[in-house]
């Protein structure tokens, strides 16, 4: 495995982990969870298990035209929209044990104050330019149209429902003037162009250092990150933008919902959502720091802090070009060390589509599969779209649960604990003379946690999970090969050794699976009667002491029936037919 060492790259003293703020205008689906929140949570949990100083930051993105658009359609206020979806999404995160240290809101007073302060600081430094441009205007509604209020044909892929800021089919970032045959989503009319004034971030002035920083990991002759550790799609998308020539990017909009521009003669202007949303990471950190008696600046301004942004590929340029420009202009802030953006998750061979209701919603999964949160975390990590788009199918979901979690992991744990109770009254037996198979199995037990660590620290969560499951397979095979149930009447000392080793594997399984499946970790710890185990304990063949008493075995994973899968496929079919 590739390791990058540079005397200028310090070992981090603390970690700031951000997960892209979900828009509070709709429910979370499996694509959101697989692409952003589960991998970020795995990384955060792993680091905390290693005793690292970590803040895992997220919150609801509660501004922008997408929210006002939904409010207009439903005939309610934007505040009612964001209140509803902030609560609903937070409940899904909590149920799935996505363990943010802080989950804030960009509509909060603290965030408005932070964003306004930083806007004024940038304005004072001359970081913006102000210019008059033409913008689409709906004469029927008598208002300028924000990007999301305009749809038309995408100039890149010809999709006829592209938005003014982005095509959701091909992922291209657009401007309203690029759309072919634009229409107002408010009236359905063709809008006209009128003059308006806005503030812009002149990205073209930053091309040189951005290119050096992204492609070489260098800034001001310092090595800040290893570009070989960045994903190809991230480097590729950044290079494509820079090679095409960066252009000024508007950071204000004509809207009545958002953070008002804190300057004179700026009535009716608010900060563009992609200016204020990333600042939400900073304002949320401030809130957390105040509540936990920490210094928030340590997590954003110290060179020995590692900043990592988790997001999907449609948000790459905002976190690798636009937000870094803002951070660099604000003296003293660190830049991201990595941006492990994922590709997209498809559903049953088709692209997820909220407009067609072709999605599996987090809230529906939790209703239909209560107490199976870890199964979803496991499956979504197993198929995470780390380097290319991947596909979720209900059939594969069932197979991974039944054939891997239930038949391998669950079966091994159950047999180990049941046999320990049957033969030794639930007391951990001692290890006696070790055979070659014992030594080989212990060697693998010692090695696998380090392999998992290496993959997690390279943001290769699928490979890390595969290694964790490999340990369960090793345990399962060890019991099958040694067959203690055949030896108990003739060689009890041999059975003591076999079950001791099987129990040590079980204890390590609880630790290495904790970042991926936190509920399973707790259940295993309860069964093994252990607590406060950390990553450094994983792989220890003497973790459970001789004579330690364990509790009774419980079924970890239930098999999923064919009828349950058919119900989900029928539901998908009905949901699209009803539109």
């Amino acid at each position: 495995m590739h390791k990058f060492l540079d005397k200028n790259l310090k070992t981090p003293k603390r970690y700031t982990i951000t997960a892209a703020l979900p828009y509070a205008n709709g429910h979370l689906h499996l694509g959101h969870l697989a692409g952003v929140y589960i991998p970020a949570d795995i990384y955060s949990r792993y680091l905390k298990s290693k005793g690292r100083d970590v803040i895992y930051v997220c919150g609801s993105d509660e501004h922008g035209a997408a929210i006002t658009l939904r409010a207009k359609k439903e005939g309610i206020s934007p505040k009612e929209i964001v209140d509803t979806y902030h609560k609903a999404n937070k409940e899904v995160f909590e149920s799935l044990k996505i363990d943010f240290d802080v989950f804030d809101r960009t509509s909060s007073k603290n965030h408005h104050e932070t964003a306004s302060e930083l806007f004024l600081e940038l304005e004072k430094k001359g970081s913006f330019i102000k210019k008059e441009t033409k913008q689409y205007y709906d004469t029927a509604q008598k208002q300028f149209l924000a990007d999301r209020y305009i749809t038309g044909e995408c100039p890149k892929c010809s999709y006829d429902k592209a938005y003014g800021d982005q095509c959701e089919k091909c992922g291209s970032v657009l401007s309203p003037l690029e759309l072919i045959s634009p229409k107002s989503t408010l009236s359905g009319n063709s809008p006209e162009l009128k003059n308006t004034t806005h503030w812009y971030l002149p990205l073209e002035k930053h091309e040189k250092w951005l290119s050096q920083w992204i492609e070489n990991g260098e800034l001001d002759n310092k090595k800040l990150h290893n570009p070989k550790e960045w994903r190809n799609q991230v480097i590729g998308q950044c290079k494509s933008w820079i090679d095409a020539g960066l252009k000024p990017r508007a950071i204000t909009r004509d809207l009545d919902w958002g953070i008002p521009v804190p300057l004179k003669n700026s009535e009716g202007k608010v900060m563009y959502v992609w200016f204020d949303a990333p600042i939400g990471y900073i304002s949320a950190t401030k809130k957390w720091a105040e509540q936990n008696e920490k210094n928030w600046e340590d997590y954003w301004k110290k060179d020995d802090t590692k900043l990592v942004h988790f997001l999907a590929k449609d948000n790459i340029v905002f976190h690798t070009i636009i937000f870094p420009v803002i951070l660099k202009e604000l003296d003293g802030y660190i830049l991201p060390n990595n941006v492990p953006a994922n590709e997209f998750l498809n559903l049953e061979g088709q692209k997820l589509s909220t407009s067609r209701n072709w999605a599996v919603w987090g809230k529906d999964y939790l209703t239909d599969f209560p107490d199976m949160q870890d199964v979803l975390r496991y499956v979504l990590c197993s198929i995470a779209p780390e380097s290319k788009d991947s596909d979720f199918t209900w059939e594969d979901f069932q197979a991974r649960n039944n054939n891997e979690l239930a038949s391998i992991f669950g079966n091994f744990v159950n047999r180990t604990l049941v046999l320990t109770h049957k033969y030794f009254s639930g007391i951990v037996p001692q290890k006696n003379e070790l055979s070659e198979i014992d030594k080989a199995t212990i060697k693998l037990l010692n090695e696998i946690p380090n392999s998992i660590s290496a993959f997690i620290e390279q943001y290769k969560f699928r490979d890390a999970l595969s290694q964790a499951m490999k340990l369960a397979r090793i345990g399962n095979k060890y019991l099958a090969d040694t067959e203690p149930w055949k030896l108990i009447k003739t060689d009890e000392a041999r059975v003591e050794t076999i079950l001791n080793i099987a129990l040590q594997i079980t204890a390590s399984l609880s630790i290495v699976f904790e970042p991926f499946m936190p509920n399973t970790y707790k259940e295993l710890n309860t069964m093994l009667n252990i607590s406060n185990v950390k990553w450094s304990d994983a792989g220890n063949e003497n973790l459970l002491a001789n004579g330690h008493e364990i509790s009774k075995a419980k079924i970890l994973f239930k098999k999923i029936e064919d009828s349950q899968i058919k119900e989900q496929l029928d539901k998908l079919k009905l949901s699209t037919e009803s539109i």
Side-chain angles (χ1 to χ4, degrees), residues 256-420:
D256 55 5
W257 175 254
I259 302 176
V261 172
L263 297 171
K264 292 180 180 178
N265 302 317
S266 59
E267 291 75 16
K269 312 285 185 187
V270 298
M271 295 179 201
Y272 177 36
V273 68
W274 266 111
F275 176 83
D276 96 78
I279 292 171
Y281 303 139
I282 299 171
S283 60
T285 304
K286 284 185 175 182
K287 176 182 176 180
W288 168 84
E290 186 176 342
Q291 292 172 344
N292 292 275
E293 298 183 345
K294 299 268 192 175
N295 180 3
W296 74 268
E297 291 187 330
D298 288 348
Y299 296 84
W300 283 95
K301 294 187 175 185
K302 287 285 186 76
D303 288 342
D304 52 6
T305 295
K306 185 173 185 177
L307 173 61
V308 183
H309 296 311
F310 283 86
L311 45 110
K313 65 181 176 184
D314 54 341
N315 285 340
I316 288 173
V317 294
F318 297 108
H319 288 80
T320 55
I321 292 178
I322 298 171
F323 192 41
V325 166
I326 293 168
L327 291 173
K328 187 170 182 294
E329 286 290 288
L330 294 165
D331 290 334
Y333 282 80
I334 57 172
L335 299 183
N337 179 272
N338 208 315
V339 184
N342 280 321
E343 300 281 331
F344 289 150
L345 183 76
N346 296 327
L347 173 61
E348 298 289 348
Q350 299 180 44
K351 286 187 179 294
L352 279 160
S353 171
T354 55
S355 60
R356 292 193 301 116
N357 206 23
W358 187 255
V360 176
W361 304 101
K363 65 182 181 63
D364 292 344
Y365 174 88
L366 294 167
T367 299
D368 295 344
F369 295 93
D371 303 319
M372 294 186 76
Q373 294 93 333
D374 274 7
V375 177
L376 184 64
R377 288 178 64 113
Y378 176 83
V379 172
L380 292 183
C381 182
S382 298
I383 61 170
E386 291 176 351
S387 58
K388 62 181 180 180
D389 290 357
S390 61
D391 195 36
F392 176 91
T393 71
W394 280 111
E395 194 174 288
D396 178 67
F397 171 81
Q398 179 189 28
R400 289 180 188 274
N401 177 79
N402 293 358
N403 302 338
E404 296 173 18
L405 292 178
S407 296
I408 297 172
F409 189 173
N411 180 58
F412 166 67
V413 170
N414 187 261
R415 284 204 294 179
T416 298
L417 270 65
V418 166
L419 291 177
T420 302

Side-chain angles (χ1 to χ4, degrees), residues 16 108 212 278 308 345 349 439 499:
T16 301
S108 71
Q212 271 289 99
V308 183
L345 183 76
K439 292 175 183 176
L499 287 181

Side-chain angles (χ1 to χ4, degrees), residues 163-223:
Y163 287 110
D165 61 347
Q166 192 169 50
C167 175
E168 295 196 343
K169 184 174 182 182
C170 70
S172 295
V173 176
L174 304 170
S175 71
L177 297 179
E178 293 178 90
L179 291 179
I180 300 166
S181 303
K183 290 279 191 294
S184 165
T185 59
L186 299 180
S187 65
N189 298 335
S190 296
E192 65 177 49
L193 287 170
K194 286 185 69 172
N195 289 335
T196 186
T197 301
H198 284 292
W199 285 260
Y200 287 74
L201 196 59
L203 298 178
E204 70 281 4
K205 293 182 179 179
H206 302 273
E207 278 185 13
K208 188 174 180 181
W209 76 259
L210 278 170
S211 183
Q212 271 289 99
W213 171 67
I214 291 165
E215 295 183 48
N216 301 321
E218 296 176 353
L219 183 64
D220 298 331
N221 297 316
K222 289 183 181 178
K223 198 77 176 178

Side-chain angles (χ1 to χ4, degrees), residues 28-240:
L28 296 164
H29 56 59
L30 299 197
H32 298 127
L33 298 170
V36 182
Y37 305 106
I38 289 174
D41 192 62
I42 291 167
Y43 187 60
S44 172
R45 285 178 176 277
Y46 160 76
L47 291 172
K48 288 174 181 175
S49 183
K50 293 202 78 174
R52 306 282 174 80
D53 183 357
V54 177
I55 178 173
Y56 179 22
V57 184
C58 194
S60 290
D61 183 353
E62 300 188 345
H63 297 135
I67 287 160
T68 57
L69 186 58
R70 179 147 200 161
K72 283 180 183 290
K73 285 181 179 178
E74 296 187 15
I76 56 179
S77 70
K79 186 177 187 308
E80 288 174 282
I81 291 286
V82 299
D83 286 349
T84 296
Y85 290 107
H86 172 79
K87 180 175 182 291
N89 291 338
K90 189 176 182 184
E91 287 171 356
V92 169
F93 286 137
E94 288 174 350
S95 182
L96 287 169
K97 296 294 185 287
I98 307 293
D99 192 23
F100 303 120
D101 291 293
V102 57
F103 187 72
D104 204 14
R105 308 179 67 169
T106 60
S107 63
S108 71
K109 181 173 181 281
N110 167 54
H111 175 69
H112 276 234
E113 289 174 352
T114 301
S116 296
E117 287 169 10
L118 297 186
F119 187 101
L120 288 171
E121 184 179 334
L122 291 167
E123 170 70 9
K124 186 178 179 181
K125 287 171 60 69
S127 302
F128 303 143
I129 56 174
K130 184 180 177 183
K131 63 177 183 175
E132 186 176 81
T133 59
K134 291 186 179 298
Q135 186 177 331
Y136 282 121
Y137 184 87
D138 189 325
T139 53
Q141 294 291 318
K142 296 181 179 177
Q143 70 175 77
F144 282 103
L145 296 173
D147 299 348
R148 285 268 157 168
Y149 283 15
I150 309 164
T151 58
E153 184 182 323
C154 174
K156 308 287 175 67
C157 73
S158 300
Y159 179 56
D160 63 355
K161 292 185 177 66
Y163 287 110
D165 61 347
Q166 192 169 50
C167 175
E168 295 196 343
K169 184 174 182 182
C170 70
S172 295
V173 176
L174 304 170
S175 71
L177 297 179
E178 293 178 90
L179 291 179
I180 300 166
S181 303
K183 290 279 191 294
S184 165
T185 59
L186 299 180
S187 65
N189 298 335
S190 296
E192 65 177 49
L193 287 170
K194 286 185 69 172
N195 289 335
T196 186
T197 301
H198 284 292
W199 285 260
Y200 287 74
L201 196 59
L203 298 178
E204 70 281 4
K205 293 182 179 179
H206 302 273
E207 278 185 13
K208 188 174 180 181
W209 76 259
L210 278 170
S211 183
Q212 271 289 99
W213 171 67
I214 291 165
E215 295 183 48
N216 301 321
E218 296 176 353
L219 183 64
D220 298 331
N221 297 316
K222 289 183 181 178
K223 198 77 176 178
L224 298 185
H225 71 261
N226 177 14
K228 292 181 180 178
E229 292 177 351
W230 283 35
R231 291 181 177 169
N232 290 336
Q233 64 264 30
V234 177
I235 297 287
Q237 199 174 126
C238 292
K239 276 178 60 63
S240 176

